[in-house]
Amino acid sequence: MALPIEDQGRLPIQELGRLISRKREGRGIRTAALEANVSPATLSRVENGNVPDLATFAKICRWLEIDPAQFLGVETRTANERPAVVHFRKKKTVSPDTATSLGALILAAQGALDAHFQTLQPR
């Protein structure tokens, strides 16, 4: 069952916890964690506002039936476009806002490179 998303644009990462609560619909954290293929402690932390690592984020998005791009604010690319890839090590010294800003900076740089390479292609 896909969750209805009121705003089909960008979702703040803080909404992940609210969406988990809504999907659980009164079921226990252990049952939901088993369905999402993550530990109950991890699901509980994310539901309470902690930012998950990338693998956990992917599992939770699959369980929620939500495209992770909605949180990341990226557009879906066609098969012939090169996607930007960003990996952060999970450190408590990096705030979610900082990680989001760094990701946006990297994606903007990738977009600028893509635009530059478009100008170099023969027409």
Side-chain angles (χ1 to χ4, degrees):
M1 160 185 95
L3 292 176
I5 303 298
E6 298 79 22
D7 178 9
Q8 291 299 318
R10 185 167 187 248
L11 291 171
I13 193 68
Q14 293 79 11
E15 284 295 300
L16 193 57
R18 185 182 68 78
L19 293 170
I20 291 169
S21 296
R22 196 166 81 189
K23 172 98 180 202
R24 284 201 313 124
E25 297 174 336
R27 289 178 292 157
I29 194 78
R30 285 187 172 98
T31 303
L34 185 63
E35 291 173 3
N37 196 28
V38 297
S39 75
T42 297
L43 191 62
S44 178
R45 281 193 300 272
V46 175
E47 186 175 12
N48 288 314
N50 289 317
V51 177
D53 61 59
L54 188 58
T56 302
F57 176 67
K59 289 177 184 179
I60 291 172
C61 284
R62 271 193 300 274
W63 176 66
L64 291 171
E65 299 177 14
I66 292 178
D67 183 355
Q70 289 184 320
F71 291 100
L72 302 174
V74 296
E75 296 177 14
T76 305
R77 293 177 174 257
T78 61
N80 62 350
E81 294 182 51
R82 297 174 310 144
V85 179
V86 180
H87 296 277
F88 292 108
R89 291 182 182 213
K90 185 173 181 181
K91 287 189 174 184
K92 294 184 181 197
T93 57
V94 177
S95 72
D97 289 340
T98 300
T100 300
S101 295
L102 286 171
L105 177 68
I106 292 167
L107 292 171
Q110 179 69 39
L113 276 173
D114 288 345
H116 173 71
F117 287 123
Q118 290 285 332
T119 63
L120 298 177
Q121 291 180 357
R123 294 180 186 239

